[in-house]
Every structure is written in C-alpha cells, then in structure tokens.
Amino acid sequence: MAKILSENYCFPENLVGMQEAIQQAINRGEIQQISDRKTLASLLTNRVQGALNDPRLTVSYEPNTVPVMPQIPPSLPTEQLIRLVRNSVKLDILDNNVGYLRMDRIIGEETAAKLGSLLRDDIWDKVANTSSLILDLRYSTAGEMSGVSFIISYFSDPEPLIHVDTVYDRQSNITKELWTLPSIKGERYGKKKDLIVLTSKRTMGAAEAVAYALKNLKRAITVGERSAGGSVKVEKIRIPQSAFYITVPVARSVSPITGHSWEVSGVPPTINVNAKEAVAKAKSLLAVRGAIPKVVQSIADIIERFYAFTDRVPALLEHLKTTDFSTVVSEEDLVVTLNQDLQTLSEDPRLIIKYMPDNADIVEEGDPALDNIPEDYESLKALVDTTIKVEILTNNTGYLRVDKFFKLSEGTKLETIMAKKVWEPLKDTKNLVFDLRYNTGGSSTSLALILSYLHDSSQKLHFFTIYDQIQNITTIYDSLPQIKGHTYGSRRGVYVLTSYNTASVGEELAYLIQSLHRGTVIGEITSGNLMHSKTYEIEGTDIAITVPVINFLDNNGEYWLGGGVVPDAIVLADEAVEHVHEIADLHQGLKSLIEGTGELLEKHYAIHEVALNVSKVLMNKWEEGMYWSVIDLDSLASLLTADLQETSGDHRLHVFHCDIDPDSLHDVPEIPTAEEVGQVINSVFKIELLQDNVGYLRMGMMPDVEVVKAIWPQMVKQVWRKIVNTDALIIDMRYNTGGYSSAVPLLCTYFFEDKPLQHLYTVFDRTKSTMTEVMTWPKVRGQRYGSSKGVYILTSHLTGSAAEVFIRSLKDLNKVTIIGEPTIGGSLSSGTYQIGKSVLYVAIPNQVVFSAITGKMWSVSGVEPHVIAQANGALSVAQRLIAARQLKKKQGK
C-alpha cells in the first residue's frame, strides 16, 4: 500500500515519514490482531485519511472484483462520438433571446478537434447570437480536463491568453498548464454578455474546473448547489497478492487564479438555491442584470443634470462607465457596487444611491409652505407670536426662541414686526441665548437678515453663498446695510442652543455662528438631515439616488456638505441653558486673561520682537471673535497654546490649567549621601565594552552640576575609567529627556584638550538681561577622552532639553557624529508664570542660546542627526559606521 501511494498519490510531498509510521504500527501489533478483512480495510482507510487529510483515499476488500478499464471516448468511431456529443450537449433559446446550453459531459480537446465543424454549426454559432447564456452543468459528471481550456476560450477574448488551471499527473510526473486558446472554430461568446453557470451536488470533475475558473475569473455567476468536490483523476489500484484495493487520486488541479482547488471542497455557488430551482433563479437574475445598463445610464443622466459640483461630474460619469458589474446579482448588490467608490471619488457623502423596497416614501428637504407667508399685518403678527418667543432671563440675559424660519427679507412688513417684537426688547441685554433646540427649519432667505442683526451695522461682511444647480443661480448673502430697529452688535455674547431635533435652516444658522466666530453653540449635535439634496427614483426599480443640488459656501469660501453641527459645548439639550451662564461668566474675563498672557510674553519671552507680535495677534484674534468657542479653562489653555505656538513658531510656549502653584511641583536637586551615590550612578549611567574596543555609555538624564560633583569621584572609578581608553565611544541619549543644563560644560570638557579653554555657546537670559559665554572647565577629575578619537551620539524624538544642549554644543564644534532621529527641540530654560489671579499658567522660554561658531541663535526645532536612522536601529548603524571608519584608517596606514 505504501509503495502504491509513493508511486501514484498526487501529493507526494505529504508522504514524508509514511513508511516509518506503517512500520511503527506493525511493530505495535495492532494490525496483526485484526482477523476480519473488511475491518482491516476500514482501519487502514481511517489511518490513511487521517495521516494525509484526504477523504478520497480509501482501502477496500473486494475478493470478487474484476478490474475494468474504462473506454476513452476519443477512440470511438466518429458516428458514435457524434451520438455521444448530441446526447450530452443540448441547446435551447429561451424568452428574451436567452441561450440555454446544457452540457452533461465536458468534451475533450481531441473530440472537439474531430467534431469542430459540428460543434460550431450546432452549438457555438447559435449560442453567439443570444443576448445572454445559461450554461447548465448540474448533470455533468464526466469529461476530460483538456476540454476546460476549449470551453473557457469561448467566453474570453483571443488576447491576452489566460492561464486557467494547472494539472499535475503523479504517474507520469508531468505538470500541464491549461491556457485559453488563441483560435477556435466558431464565433466566441466574448466577455461582455452575461453568463450564468448552474451547478448541483452531482456536478463533478472537469465540469467543476470549468465552473471554478469562470467564477473566479469573474466571467460568470454560479447558481445552484455546491458541486461534488470530485477529482481530476482517481484510480482504484489492487494491492499486489491480495484482494485489497486502494483508491488513489493520481492527478491534482491547482488554480493559478486563486492558488487553491475545487477538488474535495467543490465549487460554492455565488447564489445558493436548490438545483431544481436554479434555472428559474438564473432567468430572474438575468432580468436584473439586463436592466443594469439602463439603471446606470439613468443615474449618469441625473448626476450630469442635477449634481451641484459640476466640476466633478466628468470623473463620476467616467467611473460609472468603467465600473465592473460582473458580480452583481440583485438590485441591492447593484446599489452596493455603485456606492463603493462614488463618495470617495466625489468627496461628497451626500451623493448616495439607495435601495428602497416596499415603496418607501421619499422625504424631501424643506417646507415650501414656509416661503408662502401671509401679507396682512395681523396674520403676520399672529404667525410671529406662534413661532417666536422672547424673554429676559436672570443676569439680564436675553432669550430668543425661534422654532421656524420664514421667508424674511429687508424692508418687509415681517421685518418691521420682528424689529418691534424681538430686537427692541433684547437691545439692552447683557448676552443673548438663541434657542434652536425646537427649530425644524424653514427658509434660508432669513439668515442674512438675522446675522446682520447680530453684527455691528458698520461692519460689511460676507455671510454665505448658495449655488442652485437646478436653476443655475448663484446667490451671495452679505450683511444688509439698512435694517429696521436696533442691531444687537458683535461685542455681546450669543449662545446658540441646539438639540438632536435642530434641522435644516436651524443647522445652517448654528454652522454659520461658528464659521463667523460670532457666538458659542451649546447643546446636542444637530439632526444632520440637511444635505441640500433631492432624491430621484430610478424608473422600474426600487433604486433611488440622492443628489446634492445646492452648494452652500460659508464666509470662508468653504463648502459645507451638511451633516450634523457639532456644538462647542456638547451637553444635554435640557441642560443647555444652565451651561450658558457658566460659559458667559468665563467669557466676561476672557479679554483680561488674553491681555495678561500677552503682557507676560512681552516681559519674559527671550525674543522681545516675537513677543510683541504674538501679543498683538492674540488681541486681534479676540477682537475677531476667535475665542467664542472657549467653553472652559482647559479649552482656553488649549486654544491659547495653539495660537502662541503657531504665531511664534516656538512649540515650547505652553498654557496650562493647574489648581495648585506649579512652582511647588518643581524638583529641587538633592545632593545624594555617600550611601546613595552608587545608586544614583547606576540609575543614570550604563556602560559596556563593545567589539573592536568601542565604549558604550548610556545617559538616562542630565543631572544637576552639584549632583555631578558629589558622585564624580566614584563615577570616575566605576564608569569613566572603563571606557576612557577605548578607540571610539558611543553615547546613547535616545531616552534622555533632559534635566539640568548646569552640568553640560563639565561633561563637554572631557572631549576637549585642557588648553585653550573652548567656548561652547552663549546664553542670553531675558529675565536678567545678561549675556553669558559658557566655556569648558580648566580642570576635571580623571583622564580626558581627548579630541582625536571618534565620539558618536545616538538620538531619538524623545531626546530633549538639557540633553540637546550637550549634543548641539559638541555638534557645533564638530566633535561628534550624531546618529538617530531629530530631537524634540526643548528649551534651555523656561519660566512658569501665573496669568493674572487665575489658575492658568504659561510656560515661557526666557533664554536663547547662540552658537559659539556662527553667533546665530540656536533653532527651537531640535538637533538634526548627521545620519538619519530609526531610534531602535541607531546603535547597530553606529557600530557599522565605526567599523567602516576603523577599517579605512587601517588600510590608510
């Protein structure tokens, strides 16, 4: 049995160790104990299938079996071949010019060559004239693998040739690749027309190869049941000198398309239905697919006619032309396929195709009735009374609730009523609460007038622009020069309340309040229903397309694509009014906090000209309303930090909120006791001797100079002496985030000769108005490393503060090679200052450093390495660089 498998089984690589396993089973004696032959056959079957994970391998006991060699069809006379083909291949033309081709046997290459003219005239030329085709393989249980290429060639183009299958025959040890044919008798069906392949549990062998290839080439949709999972070729071979037989798959198929096979597992259908219902399902599927071109054309026409982003239309139409619909099997499927790239390509989430079964109602945006308001004064007054509410709340806070926006423009009767009922009572209030929590929309025409009331009459502002694609009209909405009554102006706070119910034009107003920096939005995210779109049904289908027909451009010229408005302060709608009072109180003191921040900068920031400019910019931003979005001290600190850093270009400027004095958090360096010295050294420094006499020194932080003085005698003995005589030194500062810069001159001194003293850098201290030249020390403990040997420093994006001072000093003076990532760009020294009497503090760099070589100010952007490398690989890069330089040096000698 083992010999048969080794010579015939199509997966010989899986047979490794089989002989040994059989011998072990014999040695255990379990096989010899079985006296019943059929039981032995069953046991051997289980063992072989389990070992090789192949259910096709079976052992049987058949004492009365006489092996019969199957007759090969191509060896039959031509008349019998014709009869065989006509019995196994049937063609019919169904309604709507749908071809139906049933193949119960896959005709081999030789048969096809002999009967080419017959097959062309009776089958392929007739099939070619159909609009679509159902290829029925439900009853195909026999055939030859050589016919796979022949059949698939009819459903593909002549060029390029397609590699459809690979068959390995173990007995001949030959691998054969199956490719489509460059020329065939008869007309090709091609790749354009729909092809449905029917399968059943009986579909087996070469028919499975056809179905598998057509499906995975995306040339056909398979309908029916999972196929049998047969084999390319299986033989029942007698075990010599016995009545036992072993059934062995002697050839195997591997698809070059998927890398897998249909053997054993079968071909799973695209649409799984009972085999008896497969034809009916295929017909209904072809009806769906037949409608695809018309549906796609209708969608293209709607986009071309109505889509507001006219510049994006050509790309969308081209996309629809080139989209692959080969796997679409239903209207739902078509919608998914169409939407797949549509929004990505248009960059517009509003453009969407929907599947709407059961005649779901299409809800259109807006309420046309709100544009048709009464003309008589009393009716208008009653309308205002029912939709608008005005109150004066505590702390002289005005309250305006608007549930709907009517068509409202300058100089109308309605404006006169609004001026008297709304703006007159509110004119002297301290702040205004504008309640949109119950607002479901209305007319956009009213927004320009409302926004004009909320700004100073002297301001000439652009509010928004609307482009209507259907009417091909662009309307620009600016502030109105003449309005009735008092304007509320732009200095007082406006607090817009929103809820999940706020919709349509209510959302537009909330959005514009934020975009214009005119107030603070408080409450819940709005409904997000406003898309400026219309929905069009595709005739004869359950498909509809929603197309944006209006483009809304805000005051900055930015397109607003709808969706919910996110409030500055997200709170429950019912609690929004309570939060207004808290935020308004904060806003009352904003100006003094911003002024105080600017004054501290002017007094302490190292570069005075920059401080003056930043201070001015902060106040300009406040004047422009850029701080209305602030809702608490943390958001103020965050916004101030962003503005400080953006304007100054200095990321070290930082505002933060702290409930206790930050000075109390500052570490004062403690001088270690004699007992603690060893522990300090071990925690800060790590040394190692690497290959080729290279020293490695890791510095975890930058200690204060007094700490260094205390530990240095022992440090020289424990650490420095072990690496000072190396040929090269790697200093690892990848994880050194800084510390104290006072020890930098001492540490740098070890890498210079004792004379002359070296100027390292110059420090300008704004707080003292002093300029100090920092020099190397004249004397140090222990031996200097010297200036002639190579020193390499490793850096990362974490390396900062005083560590950067050390690195940059040595880099400026060309004493080191830096390898790794750019450093963080920390400050040499920063002061922390309280902003007024608040709990906000600002960290201000009060020192700048000038290069000893160029005299120019050091950049705050960090130290750039000589050799860029990822931090985790910097050490190995340094070692390779040192080795290369040492080799070059030896070769030079």
Side-chain angles (χ1 to χ4, degrees):
M1 185 177 72
K3 188 172 185 295
I4 291 170
L5 285 172
S6 64
E7 292 174 354
N8 295 274
Y9 185 46
C10 61
F11 289 96
E13 65 272 18
N14 293 348
L15 298 174
V16 177
M18 185 188 64
Q19 292 277 15
E20 292 81 356
I22 291 174
Q23 191 60 51
Q24 289 174 9
I26 292 172
N27 294 340
R28 286 195 297 268
E30 55 186 3
I31 292 176
Q32 290 90 326
Q33 294 174 9
I34 298 173
S35 56
D36 180 70
R37 291 172 175 79
K38 289 190 176 181
T39 302
L40 176 59
S42 177
L43 174 66
L44 291 173
T45 296
N46 290 335
R47 291 295 174 85
V48 172
Q49 289 182 356
L52 298 176
N53 194 28
D54 191 336
R56 297 171 295 177
L57 291 163
T58 58
V59 179
S60 57
Y61 176 67
E62 303 177 35
N64 301 318
T65 297
V66 177
V68 178
M69 294 299 292
Q71 193 171 19
I72 301 172
S75 65
L76 296 173
T78 302
E79 294 77 13
Q80 290 187 33
L81 282 176
I82 292 172
R83 212 164 30 246
L84 177 69
V85 169
R86 284 181 171 165
N87 286 335
S88 59
V89 181
K90 293 182 175 64
L91 174 65
D92 195 4
I93 307 299
L94 309 179
D95 293 341
N96 300 316
N97 197 30
V98 174
Y100 172 81
L101 179 60
R102 171 173 164 174
M103 300 185 73
D104 295 349
R105 182 185 191 89
I106 301 302
I107 300 165
E109 194 174 357
E110 292 182 31
T111 303
K114 282 186 179 182
L115 306 181
S117 299
L118 173 71
L119 294 172
R120 178 192 63 204
D121 297 340
D122 288 2
I123 298 174
W124 297 116
D125 284 356
K126 292 180 181 179
V127 165
N129 294 320
T130 59
S131 303
S132 54
L133 179 66
I134 299 171
L135 177 59
D136 192 349
L137 301 179
R138 290 176 295 171
Y139 312 99
S140 184
T141 58
E144 298 177 53
M145 287 296 292
S146 62
V148 174
S149 298
F150 172 71
I151 292 173
I152 293 175
S153 295
Y154 275 94
F155 300 108
S156 59
D157 294 335
E159 295 290 342
L161 299 181
I162 302 169
H163 184 189
V164 296
D165 209 335
T166 299
V167 176
Y168 168 66
D169 187 286
R170 176 72 182 98
Q171 293 169 326
S172 62
N173 198 29
I174 292 174
T175 299
K176 184 177 181 181
E177 292 183 349
L178 304 183
W179 291 72
T180 53
L181 307 174
S183 61
I184 52 177
K185 283 192 176 182
E187 188 177 345
R188 292 177 187 260
Y189 202 68
K191 292 173 61 177
K192 301 295 183 184
K193 293 186 278 189
D194 284 334
L195 174 63
I196 310 293
V197 176
L198 309 185
T199 58
S200 74
K201 295 174 183 176
R202 297 175 59 189
T203 307
M204 184 178 289
E208 293 182 278
V210 170
Y212 189 82
L214 289 172
K215 177 186 176 183
N216 288 292
L217 285 169
K218 295 185 178 180
R219 178 59 192 93
I221 295 170
T222 51
V223 176
E225 301 165 339
R226 182 184 285 269
S227 64
S231 301
V232 174
K233 186 178 177 184
V234 174
E235 288 190 7
K236 181 185 285 188
I237 303 172
R238 182 179 178 181
I239 299 174
Q241 301 176 352
S242 76
F244 287 90
Y245 291 81
I246 181 167
T247 302
V248 183
V250 297
R252 73 189 191 203
S253 162
V254 177
S255 168
I257 307 161
T258 65
H260 301 289
S261 176
W262 48 267
E263 294 182 279
V264 181
S265 58
V267 183
T270 309
I271 300 177
N272 197 335
V273 297
N274 189 290
K276 292 179 181 178
E277 302 168 2
V279 173
K281 184 64 180 178
K283 289 179 181 179
S284 66
L285 177 56
L286 287 172
V288 170
R289 293 191 55 77
I292 289 176
K294 184 179 177 182
V295 171
V296 173
Q297 186 58 53
S298 297
I299 288 170
D301 292 343
I302 291 168
I303 289 174
E304 187 172 22
R305 185 177 175 189
F306 298 115
Y307 188 38
F309 282 113
T310 54
D311 58 320
R312 303 178 190 180
V313 168
L316 292 171
L317 298 184
E318 182 61 28
H319 168 70
L320 290 174
K321 281 183 186 177
T322 57
T323 299
D324 179 11
F325 298 108
S326 62
T327 58
V328 170
V329 297
S330 64
E331 286 189 353
E332 299 100 307
D333 227 4
L334 177 58
V335 167
V336 171
T337 302
L338 286 167
N339 275 328
Q340 211 157 35
D341 298 314
L342 209 58
Q343 293 181 2
T344 303
L345 194 63
S346 66
E347 298 179 347
D348 191 344
R350 304 171 299 169
L351 181 62
I352 188 168
I353 299 167
K354 303 173 184 176
Y355 177 65
M356 304 178 72
D358 307 322
N359 299 315
D361 292 334
I362 295 175
V363 180
E364 295 292 352
E365 292 178 4
D367 184 355
L370 297 176
D371 286 334
N372 302 316
I373 58 175
E375 294 184 2
D376 64 284
Y377 187 85
E378 290 302 321
S379 298
L380 285 171
K381 189 172 179 296
L383 184 64
V384 171
D385 289 340
T386 56
T387 57
I388 297 175
K389 180 181 179 182
V390 177
E391 284 184 60
I392 307 299
L393 306 179
T394 57
N395 298 323
N396 193 27
T397 300
Y399 174 84
L400 171 60
R401 171 175 163 176
V402 180
D403 292 349
K404 288 184 180 178
F405 291 107
F406 296 95
K407 188 173 183 179
L408 178 62
S409 57
E410 186 181 19
T412 61
K413 292 178 184 178
L414 187 55
E415 189 203 352
T416 303
I417 296 172
M418 290 283 291
K420 184 175 180 181
K421 177 176 174 59
V422 177
W423 303 115
E424 180 66 26
L426 296 172
K427 67 177 183 179
D428 295 322
T429 54
K430 192 176 179 182
N431 296 298
L432 175 63
V433 175
F434 203 133
D435 193 348
L436 299 178
R437 290 177 293 178
Y438 314 98
N439 189 294
T440 55
S443 174
S444 297
T445 58
S446 61
L447 294 181
L449 185 58
I450 291 170
L451 289 168
S452 294
Y453 273 100
L454 297 177
H455 288 83
D456 296 330
S457 57
S458 60
Q459 293 177 291
K460 305 301 178 186
L461 300 170
H462 170 59
F463 291 145
F464 61 97
T465 301
I466 287 181
Y467 168 68
D468 189 321
Q469 166 66 3
I470 295 177
Q471 300 182 42
N472 194 25
I473 293 174
T474 299
T475 308
I476 298 172
Y477 292 89
D478 295 331
S479 54
L480 303 175
Q482 294 181 344
I483 56 177
K484 295 181 179 180
H486 297 276
T487 65
Y488 200 72
S490 59
R491 295 293 179 184
R492 288 174 283 181
V494 175
Y495 301 92
V496 176
L497 310 186
T498 59
S499 74
Y500 295 126
N501 298 314
T502 306
S504 184
V505 182
E507 294 181 275
E508 286 181 334
L509 180 57
Y511 174 83
L512 287 169
I513 288 293
Q514 289 181 326
S515 177
L516 289 161
H517 306 292
R518 180 54 197 93
T520 311
V521 180
I522 303 170
E524 298 165 343
I525 298 172
T526 60
S527 67
N529 292 331
L530 181 61
M531 298 296 176
H532 300 111
S533 304
K534 288 184 73 68
T535 300
Y536 300 90
E537 294 182 80
I538 306 302
E539 186 180 356
T541 72
D542 289 327
I543 297 173
I545 177 171
T546 299
V547 181
V549 296
I550 288 175
N551 275 340
F552 185 100
L553 287 83
D554 64 20
N555 55 301
N556 300 309
E558 298 287 336
Y559 289 104
W560 183 41
L561 302 183
V565 177
V566 180
D568 300 301
I570 300 178
V571 299
L572 292 174
D574 293 342
E575 300 172 2
V577 176
E578 300 170 22
H579 286 275
V580 166
H581 297 300
E582 297 172 12
I583 294 170
D585 288 344
L586 172 65
H587 286 173
Q588 289 297 312
L590 271 185
K591 184 178 181 182
S592 64
L593 290 172
I594 295 167
E595 283 178 337
T597 303
E599 290 168 1
L600 290 170
L601 278 173
E602 292 177 25
K603 184 176 181 181
H604 300 289
Y605 188 57
I607 310 170
H608 188 57
E609 296 78 13
V610 172
L612 290 173
N613 180 57
V614 173
S615 180
K616 182 180 178 182
V617 169
L618 292 182
M619 287 312 301
N620 287 342
K621 283 179 174 283
W622 179 82
E623 293 278 350
E624 294 166 4
M626 304 297 283
Y627 288 93
W628 283 122
S629 61
V630 167
I631 58 170
D632 53 29
L633 290 175
D634 286 324
S635 62
L636 174 58
S638 178
L639 188 53
L640 277 173
T641 296
D643 288 341
L644 289 173
Q645 293 180 357
E646 180 184 359
T647 309
S648 68
D650 190 341
H651 66 273
R652 303 170 299 174
L653 285 165
H654 180 63
V655 178
F656 60 95
H657 172 206
C658 190
D659 292 322
I660 61 173
D661 183 359
D663 287 337
S664 64
L665 303 175
H666 287 179
D667 291 330
V668 177
E670 294 184 14
I671 308 303
T673 64
E675 293 78 16
E676 294 171 336
V677 166
Q679 184 180 348
V680 171
I681 292 172
N682 291 334
S683 64
V684 176
F685 302 100
K686 177 187 175 184
I687 63 164
E688 194 174 339
L689 285 176
L690 305 178
Q691 190 177 357
D692 298 325
N693 196 31
V694 175
Y696 171 86
L697 171 63
R698 174 171 168 174
M699 294 176 61
M701 63 166 290
M702 301 298 288
D704 179 72
V705 68
E706 296 302 323
V707 174
V708 173
K709 287 178 182 179
I711 67 172
W712 210 244
Q714 197 166 329
M715 168 70 182
V716 170
K717 292 179 183 178
Q718 290 185 11
V719 176
W720 190 241
R721 284 181 182 174
K722 296 178 181 178
I723 57 175
V724 72
N725 291 315
T726 53
D727 295 330
L729 178 62
I730 297 173
I731 303 176
D732 191 348
M733 307 196 82
R734 290 175 293 177
Y735 312 101
N736 191 320
T737 56
Y740 300 89
S741 61
S742 54
V744 169
L746 169 59
L747 297 175
C748 286
T749 299
Y750 280 87
F751 301 100
F752 294 91
E753 305 302 330
D754 55 349
K755 291 181 182 180
L757 296 183
Q758 180 65 53
H759 179 198
L760 298 173
Y761 52 88
T762 300
V763 178
F764 170 69
D765 191 318
R766 177 72 192 286
T767 59
K768 301 174 184 176
S769 296
T770 58
M771 192 81 82
T772 305
E773 288 189 353
V774 178
M775 310 291 290
T776 54
W777 288 23
K779 292 183 179 180
V780 290
R781 284 183 178 270
Q783 179 183 341
R784 294 174 188 247
Y785 198 74
S787 58
S788 60
K789 293 185 286 187
V791 179
Y792 302 81
I793 298 181
L794 311 183
T795 60
S796 78
H797 63 281
L798 300 174
T799 310
S801 186
E804 291 178 287
V805 177
F806 174 74
I807 297 167
R808 199 188 291 263
S809 300
L810 295 176
K811 181 185 179 185
D812 268 7
L813 296 165
N814 294 319
K815 290 296 179 185
V816 293
T817 300
I818 303 169
I819 300 167
E821 300 167 345
T823 62
I824 197 171
S827 172
L828 183 67
S829 176
S830 286
T832 302
Y833 307 95
Q834 186 177 11
I835 303 175
K837 295 182 180 180
S838 72
V839 290
L840 289 180
Y841 296 82
V842 57
I844 301 176
N846 47 37
Q847 292 181 345
V848 289
V849 183
F850 296 90
S851 169
I853 303 301
T854 65
K856 293 181 179 180
M857 190 186 308
W858 278 358
S859 167
V860 298
S861 60
V863 183
E864 284 290 327
H866 295 101
V867 180
I868 299 289
Q870 287 191 343
N872 57 8
L875 178 58
S876 59
V877 172
Q879 288 178 285
R880 290 197 298 271
L881 184 58
I882 292 168
R885 287 181 177 177
Q886 288 179 338
L887 178 61
K888 186 177 180 181
K889 189 176 180 181
K890 288 178 183 177
Q891 290 173 342
K893 287 181 179 179

